[in-house]
Amino acid sequence: MGRTAAGGTGERPTPGRGVLEGAFALLEALGQAREAGLTALSADSGLPKTTAYRLLEQLVDLGVVEHHGSRYRMGSRMFRLGLGWQPPPGLCAAARVPARRLAEATGASVGICVLREGRTLAVQGVPGVVDHLAPLRPGATWPWYAAAGKVLVAAASPRVPLDPLPASWRREAAVIRDGGVAVDREELVPGVCCVAVPLTAPGGEVVAGLCAMVDPAHDLGRLTRAVARTGRAVGAALRGPALGRAS
């Protein structure tokens, strides 16, 4: 908001840019709904119904969106294009087995998250006890102040785009960095508590957050210890067999 066009010249956005923004607004709305009709997509994207219909039909022609009766859903081309994006190299492979074991041992919904566009984005998820309240499917997003987002923001460059941070954040970020963990006690979603730790690449950069979500009846101290152990296992896998043996 409030930014000018590229180069800071104050130029007005071109029609092509407006079309692209409208198309992506529809795709974002469709991604949230999974499947929806024209009226709902028009409302959720903020586009007039005639504009939404025209763009959706163009996306259908391209295979990015497909019809399902009178409703729309993502098309196979969007799936193929999405496979071209990957989080930090090796992250999902390194986390897959440890995350599944953590979920089996604790019953938690376990996720691997990164920061993208100022939000917490899940890139991998294992279903657990609170999936009905906060499903951890890949592509799901939350505000940056989800527990996994907090461990990432606490370690992030000041250039990461975020909404204005609360005055208390500097102190909270220092506590997270010192303790290596962020805990959410139903602050984001009622009925869901979350523990998250940072995942660190071989060079020491924090590249993702590992989170485990449970209901309030769970022992968060025990869960924190389990999540920390899993985070260390993922870190060792990211370093590779040779470095893992040397550490």
Side-chain angles (χ1 to χ4, degrees):
M1 293 177 62
R3 288 181 294 182
T4 60
T9 61
E11 297 172 6
R12 301 181 65 181
T14 64
R17 180 185 172 100
V19 169
L20 286 174
E21 288 175 342
F24 274 95
L26 285 168
L27 291 172
E28 290 279 1
L30 193 54
Q32 292 292 327
R34 308 298 291 274
E35 183 178 300
L38 173 62
T39 299
L41 291 172
S42 170
D44 290 345
S45 65
L47 296 172
K49 188 179 288 189
T50 54
T51 302
Y53 175 77
R54 175 174 51 81
L55 290 175
L56 284 166
E57 291 302 311
Q58 290 175 356
L59 292 169
V60 168
D61 290 342
L62 293 169
V64 176
V65 171
E66 61 187 32
H67 286 293
H68 188 226
S70 61
R71 298 163 71 83
Y72 296 90
R73 63 186 180 190
M74 290 294 186
S76 60
R77 189 173 189 183
M78 193 65 177
F79 172 75
R80 295 195 304 274
L81 291 171
L83 293 176
W85 180 85
Q86 294 291 327
L91 173 63
C92 288
R96 189 170 292 112
V97 172
R100 187 178 69 244
R101 288 175 178 167
L102 176 62
E104 291 170 352
T106 62
S109 302
V110 177
I112 306 298
C113 301
V114 297
L115 273 181
R116 285 297 181 274
E117 299 178 359
R119 291 182 64 80
T120 308
L121 169 68
V123 297
Q124 192 177 93
V126 183
V129 67
V130 293
D131 255 37
H132 62 294
L133 294 174
L136 258 172
R137 67 177 186 271
T141 65
W142 292 273
W144 71 266
Y145 48 84
K150 284 184 176 182
V151 297
L152 295 168
V153 175
S157 160
R159 294 187 299 276
V160 171
L162 295 169
D163 293 332
L165 299 173
S168 61
W169 172 245
R170 180 173 296 184
R171 179 181 300 174
E172 185 178 358
V175 171
I176 291 171
R177 286 192 295 270
D178 289 344
V181 63
V183 179
D184 174 347
R185 295 176 174 84
E186 300 186 82
E187 297 161 26
L188 191 62
V189 180
V192 177
C193 296
C194 185
V195 171
V197 299
L199 298 176
T200 306
E205 178 190 6
V206 174
V207 294
L210 167 69
C211 68
M213 302 193 304
V214 294
D215 58 54
H218 276 69
D219 182 337
L220 293 188
R222 180 178 298 176
L223 180 64
T224 297
R225 292 188 290 274
V227 174
R229 285 194 299 272
T230 302
R232 290 193 292 271
V234 175
L238 279 171
R239 291 194 297 272
L243 286 173
R245 286 194 298 269
S247 61

